[in-house]
Amino acid sequence: MHALLFVLHLLGAIVWVGGMAFAMLVLRPSLAVLEPPQRLALHREVFRRFFLIVWHAMPITLASGWAMLFLFHGGFAGAHWTVHLMNLTGLVMGAVFVVLWSGPHQAFRAALAAGRPAEAAEALGRIRLLITLNLGLGLFTSAIAGLGRFGL
């Protein structure tokens, strides 16, 4: 059971953080070959698919981490400092995603549906900023996890 939870935790984190890394480091720079209206349309489809994945990966990652912590490691009282930090950054990442999805993403969708590309582009800029923040947090959290595995 512990191994299954650990695998779910790792896979959720890989999908979530890896998806953001792909979006920011590969997809975004590659969109320069498209005209602005095409970029907005592509973003609409990418976000629709990726955010659906995150809505599954995020709770799987958080829940599997808590399950391992409480079922096999005695809870927070005896947890290594890295576990406390991973919990904090994971919760912050989840909150950032909820803000991103419910704020700028909804504004982006509404602007596209209403035929207001300038507003959609403005919302897209806020989405990029929040994804970049979450990517940084995700990479930091991954580094902390690596330190924790070696007892540092």
Side-chain angles (χ1 to χ4, degrees):
M1 178 67 155
H2 190 256
L4 175 63
L5 288 170
F6 187 70
V7 168
L8 287 172
H9 193 70
L10 281 178
L11 291 176
I14 289 166
V15 167
W16 189 6
V17 177
M20 291 185 294
F22 173 80
M24 298 309 296
L25 302 173
V26 177
L27 180 62
R28 184 172 183 256
S30 300
L31 291 174
V33 300
L34 298 176
E35 294 299 319
Q38 293 172 311
R39 285 183 218 156
L40 292 174
L42 182 60
H43 272 102
R44 179 184 60 230
E45 295 305 310
V46 167
F47 291 153
R48 183 176 63 81
R49 288 172 176 84
F50 181 60
F51 292 166
L52 178 63
I53 290 168
V54 174
W55 275 118
H56 290 83
M58 176 183 48
I60 287 170
T61 304
L62 292 172
S64 61
W66 293 326
M68 286 187 293
L69 177 66
F70 290 107
L71 293 174
F72 302 105
H73 301 286
F76 282 110
H80 194 261
W81 67 268
T82 56
V83 173
H84 291 277
L85 192 52
M86 283 187 293
N87 183 61
L88 174 64
T89 55
L91 288 171
V92 171
M93 287 177 66
V96 168
F97 175 73
V98 169
V99 167
L100 180 160
W101 186 84
S102 62
H105 179 248
Q106 297 307 319
F108 174 78
R109 291 178 58 208
L112 281 181
R116 297 188 305 263
E119 288 179 32
E122 183 180 318
L124 183 58
R126 292 191 307 272
I127 291 170
R128 281 190 198 122
L129 178 66
L130 291 171
I131 289 175
T132 301
L133 171 63
N134 250 7
L135 174 58
L137 285 167
L139 293 173
F140 175 75
T141 305
S142 298
I144 294 303
L147 289 174
R149 287 307 267 181
F150 290 99
L152 299 176

